[in-house]
């Protein structure tokens, strides 16, 4: 019947076959996306950051930075006692395996990105010389477990096979031996073992330690070129992977521009007279206000959706109306607040709105303008004061959710303690699902601030006191955050300080970054505390991974304001590859941060010289009495599809270029090489990056297999 010479039957067959092939291809690429998210960043199995213990655990041999508190340590001890293991050597091994969940790298050891495991990955081969793990596994730990415990009865054994797979959560609840379930050591170690390569970790019976013998030579300097005269606050690479990018200014206009190829001598092409979208009638623009954020949906090339974050004045625009962030839920009464610089409390609002290019072009990728009418108001919130309201938005590269960065609302020292208040969106990073629109009842029941859903794994699932949108808290004014495209679990944010310190934070689920108990690594004492005070012991503060004191920038005035940047992943400057680049607003200092050991979460940074190339397409002016280019103010960083990094300043748009163009030395640079290849959405990683190599190999395998499936479907 399937092969009957009937057009309709053939069509049905090919449609069904096409759906099946499509599902397989989708599944493969979903797997690849999960693999992309894998990294050895210190994370616990619940995706939260590890914390610093006040004292050592009593059962598990862990101290310092850990993933278990006293209650979890007691739970592990009870589970161990219940196993009733008679052999003391086997019992010692099982204890260490159970306690691996307390390791600061437990998320990697238990491979939570793919499927939760009952035990960590056990080292079953010699650790490679280039591994990030510092201890060579001279003992085959998986074989050691097998040889020691194979005939020892274990109640509720974690090594029992699962219905979901050989290394999943066990299903039995009786006493068993390893030999009851596994025919040989080889079978056992295929299920529970794994080698430690530089892209992953394995458990060898001891807390994970990383190799700290790397020698990193800092770049001799950062070379930039000036390619544009315009002053912009945001840059977003076009989602189609081309050499185009969107630029927006603070007053409220967005343009679509074409970025010149590296080494071409070209300039940024932006038609100022023809904006992609003009929101100046809605946006309230002032020193602290304007169009603050711009984010394009990951599937923009198909659905045409994008999002804009801006400020509005309800006195000028009727649609600017949101609930005040100073409210009874957070112990604040707006009627008792004094006007701030002439503005009434919550006169100004922070807004996130959805727009579309649909209807302006035949396909989203070819659109050169957007529909000026809002598709949906995603979020609206009244601001109690006129400063510190962040406003950046961006999509997570591995989860597709919208992250919204919000400051503490202003007024010196966050007097109402909004940043630590779990019911306030102020001083937080929020994580929103903008693909699933809730009903009015759901919005009301969850007390949401707009039209969005809550991702199912947001921290509020485990903490009912936490406002459901919140992903991380304890920030003062996050100004420019970014994900590392090579390791998407690395989420960097620059957080503006109050009086003495500017910081870079590594953001994790439910992380508390300390403000206003701490300013950076320093205790902070607010001048006023109408919202109450908190002690250091009442929070598990996560301290900055990098930063600088105000006196490092301006010894006389001490003024400073951090501009968060990007983990540099372009091959244009190979000596900068794998370093986090950030700067100060006043454009007289830039830093490059390096992680050492790799994948440890431990960073150090050094101030780096920077100058403008002599052959810059547009002339750079130099600060009097200095070799520094006159950038004015650095407002933000940008990144294009080939991962080249840009500086958005008050004097124009600058791009990082080959160091030799400024006579900086870089042993990795091939000066005679031609300019980088054409723009690509997925540029090749550095040859020195073994984790990227691993992921790229997997990507190629999946791509080849997908092509095989498609060809099979075509011919058969």
């Amino acid at each position: 019947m399937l092969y009957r010479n009937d057009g309709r039957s053939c069509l049905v067959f090919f449609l069904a076959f096409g759906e099946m092939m499509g599902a397989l291809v989708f599944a493969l690429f979903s797997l690849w996306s999960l693999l992309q998210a894998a990294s050895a960043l210190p994370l616990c199995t619940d995706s939260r950051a590890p914390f610093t213990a006040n004292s050592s655990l009593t059962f598990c041999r862990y101290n310092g930075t850990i993933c278990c508190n006293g209650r979890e340590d007691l739970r592990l001890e009870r589970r161990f006692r219940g196993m009733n293991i008679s052999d003391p050597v086997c019992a010692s091994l099982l204890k260490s395996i159970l306690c691996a969940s307390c390791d600061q790298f437990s998320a990697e050891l238990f491979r939570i990105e793919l499927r939760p495991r009952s035990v960590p990955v056990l080292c079953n081969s010699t650790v490679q010389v280039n591994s990030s793990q510092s201890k060579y596994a001279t003992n085959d730990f998986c074989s050691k477990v097998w040889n020691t415990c194979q005939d020892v009865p274990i109640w509720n054994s974690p090594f029992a096979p699962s219905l979901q797979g050989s290394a999943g959560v066990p299903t039995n609840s009786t006493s068993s031996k390893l030999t009851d379930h596994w025919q040989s050591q080889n079978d056992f170690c295929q299920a529970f073992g794994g080698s430690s390569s530089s892209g992953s970790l394995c458990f060898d019976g001891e807390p994970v330690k990383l190799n700290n013998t790397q020698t990193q030579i800092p770049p001799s300097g950062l070379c930039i070129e000036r390619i544009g005269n315009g002053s912009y606050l945001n840059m977003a690479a076009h989602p189609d992977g081309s050499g185009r990018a969107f630029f927006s200014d603070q007053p409220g206009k967005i343009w679509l521009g074409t970025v010149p190829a590296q080494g071409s001598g070209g300039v940024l092409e932006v038609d100022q007279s023809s904006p992609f979208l003009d929101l100046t009638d809605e946006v309230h623009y002032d020193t602290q206000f304007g169009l603050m954020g711009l984010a394009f949906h990951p599937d923009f090339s198909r659905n045409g959706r994008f999002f804009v974050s801006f400020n509005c004045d309800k006195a000028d625009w009727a649609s600017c109306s949101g609930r005040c962030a100073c409210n009874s839920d957070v112990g604040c009464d707006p009627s008792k607040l004094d006007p701030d610089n002439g503005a009434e409390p919550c006169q100004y609002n922070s807004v996130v709105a959805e727009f579309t290019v649909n209807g302006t072009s035949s396909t989203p990728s070819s659109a050169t303008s957007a529909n000026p009418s809002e598709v949906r108001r995603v979020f609206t919130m009244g601001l109690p004061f006129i400063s510190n309201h962040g406003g950046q938005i961006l999509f997570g590269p591995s989860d597709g959710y919208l992250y919204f960065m919000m400051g503490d609302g202003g007024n010196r020292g966050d007097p109402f303690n909004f940043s630590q208040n779990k019911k306030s969106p102020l001083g937080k990073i929020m994580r929103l699902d903008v693909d699933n629109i809730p009903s009015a009842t759901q919005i009301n029941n969850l007390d949401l601030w707009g039209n969005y859903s809550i991702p199912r794994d947001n921290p509020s699932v485990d903490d009912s006191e936490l406002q459901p949108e919140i992903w991380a808290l304890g920030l003062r004014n996050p100004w420019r955050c970014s994900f590392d495209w090579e390791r998407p679990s690395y989420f960097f944010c620059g957080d503006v300080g109050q009086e003495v310190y500017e910081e870079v934070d590594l953001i994790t689920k439910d992380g508390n970054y300390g403000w206003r108990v701490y300013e950076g690594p320093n205790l902070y004492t607010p001048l006023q505390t109408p919202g109450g005070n908190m002690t250091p012991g009442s929070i598990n503060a996560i301290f900055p991974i990098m930063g600088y004191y105000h006196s490092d920038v301006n010894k006389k005035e001490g003024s400073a304001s951090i501009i968060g940047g990007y983990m540099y992943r372009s091959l244009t400057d190979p000596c900068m590859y794998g370093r986090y680049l950030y700067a100060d607003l006043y454009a007289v200092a830039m830093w490059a941060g390096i992680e050492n050991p790799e994948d440890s979460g431990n960073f150090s940074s050094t101030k780096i010289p920077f100058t403008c190339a002599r052959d810059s397409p547009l002339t750079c002016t130099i600060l009097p009495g200095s070799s520094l280019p006159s950038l004015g103010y650095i407002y933000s960083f940008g990144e294009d599809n080939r991962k080249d990094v840009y500086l958005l300043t008050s004097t124009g748009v600058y791009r990082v270029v080959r160091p030799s163009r400024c006579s900086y030395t870089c042993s990795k640079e091939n000066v005679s090489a031609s300019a980088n290849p054409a723009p690509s959405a997925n540029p090749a990683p550095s040859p020195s990056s073994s984790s990227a190599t691993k992921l790229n190999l997997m990507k190629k395998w999946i791509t080849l297999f997908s092509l095989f499936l498609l060809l099979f479907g075509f011919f058969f």
Side-chain angles (χ1 to χ4, degrees), residues 2 54 119 159 264 328 474 488 689 705:
L2 274 175
N54 294 326
V119 298
F159 298 113
S264 67
S328 58
S689 175
F705 188 63

Side-chain angles (χ1 to χ4, degrees), residues 289 311 345-350 381-385 389 406 426:
F289 296 103
N311 302 119
C346 293
Q347 176 180 333
Y348 302 120
N349 280 248
S350 275
M381 180 177 65
L383 301 167
F385 307 106
H389 43 77
M406 177 56 64
L426 295 172

